[in-house]
Amino acid sequence: TGFYDEYGQPIRNGYESETELQICSIRCSNLDCRRITALAMDFHMQKRVCDIIPKKVIRQFPDYIPQQIRNDYEEATCILNDSPKAAATLYRRCLQGMVRDFWGIAKNKLADAIKELNGKVSVAQWNAIDGLRKIGNIGAHMENDVNMIIDIDEGEAEKLGKLIELLMEKWYIARHDEEALLQDISAISAQKQDERKGAK
């Protein structure tokens, strides 16, 4: 690690440091947030930037999405770098909760629930959903041959998280926004009708 004097200049202590780790902290300017983000920056050797606080930047979803679904999504995203296979398993659990809650399809097996979902979503979306289930199964179930190891890398697990985010947007957020818009239009219409009656 590197050490710095009061002017921000590196202190070498008589030798050239192989690695200089710089810590940068940023406070959110939003007065309702004010959260601190801390980054570790190593530009000398590996040229990497690592999150310290929070360990992983996680997208926050509205509270009309069930808490348990959001918890599973956040936990999966937190461990994505350290254990992609475990993250994939949690994304699978998150999907199961969404299918059960949003679509009202309660099956003991996720595979059966997804079969019933067929025809209710687009073909491309259904194929991706079933694909997430199958990938998540790699972490959730042991292979018949215990010596067979099928890994899931970080990039693959990250794409599963992106699918969960997409489904939250297309299912929960789109429904909420549509209902809010329809209610607003109905309320505006009722108000205008009252104004017309009052003007007569």
Side-chain angles (χ1 to χ4, degrees):
T1 58
F3 297 90
Y4 298 83
D5 61 20
E6 60 184 310
Y7 303 105
Q9 298 300 315
I11 300 173
R12 300 296 184 184
N13 291 329
Y15 64 91
E16 286 292 324
S17 174
E18 289 295 327
T19 303
E20 294 178 1
L21 188 64
Q22 301 179 31
I23 307 297
C24 174
S25 64
I26 306 167
R27 183 184 293 275
C28 179
S29 60
N30 187 329
L31 296 178
D32 294 330
C33 179
R34 306 299 288 167
R35 289 183 179 178
I36 293 177
T37 298
L39 304 172
M41 297 176 289
D42 170 16
F43 294 127
H44 183 66
M45 294 291 289
Q46 298 178 339
K47 295 180 172 59
R48 293 193 310 173
V49 177
C50 300
D51 296 326
I52 299 177
I53 304 174
K55 188 174 181 181
K56 187 80 175 177
V57 177
I58 300 173
R59 181 174 174 182
Q60 299 298 306
F61 285 95
D63 56 11
Y64 52 77
I65 297 176
Q67 182 71 53
Q68 187 57 56
I69 292 173
R70 287 182 284 131
N71 286 348
D72 287 343
Y73 160 77
E74 291 174 8
E75 184 178 349
T77 306
C78 278
I79 65 172
L80 195 151
N81 295 343
D82 297 324
S83 181
K85 188 180 291 185
T89 304
L90 277 168
Y91 285 136
R92 178 189 181 281
R93 172 184 160 97
C94 185
L95 174 65
Q96 187 165 16
M98 294 169 69
V99 171
R100 180 171 297 176
D101 174 73
F102 187 86
W103 294 99
I105 302 174
K107 299 287 185 180
N108 291 331
K109 294 183 178 180
L110 180 56
D112 293 336
I114 291 176
K115 284 180 183 177
E116 192 168 323
L117 186 64
N118 195 7
K120 295 180 171 64
V121 298
S122 70
V123 173
Q125 195 177 112
W126 188 89
N127 286 333
I129 288 169
D130 196 44
L132 189 156
R133 174 189 69 82
K134 292 175 181 176
I135 297 169
N137 282 347
I138 294 172
H141 305 296
M142 180 72 70
E143 299 292 334
N144 292 330
D145 181 356
V146 296
N147 294 314
M148 180 182 292
I149 299 174
I150 302 175
D151 277 329
I152 300 170
D153 66 36
E154 182 181 334
E156 292 166 342
E158 187 173 9
K159 284 183 171 62
L160 301 184
K162 294 293 184 184
L163 176 59
I164 293 296
E165 293 174 2
L166 177 70
L167 297 179
M168 286 185 178
E169 289 177 358
K170 287 188 172 293
W171 294 357
Y172 288 97
I173 295 176
R175 179 180 67 181
H176 178 271
D177 290 350
E178 179 182 349
E179 290 175 350
L181 176 61
L182 297 179
Q183 290 173 5
D184 286 346
I185 297 297
S186 297
I188 293 170
S189 176
Q191 178 184 348
K192 296 305 177 184
Q193 296 306 313
D194 289 342
E195 290 175 1
R196 289 182 65 191
K197 292 177 182 177
K200 292 181 179 179

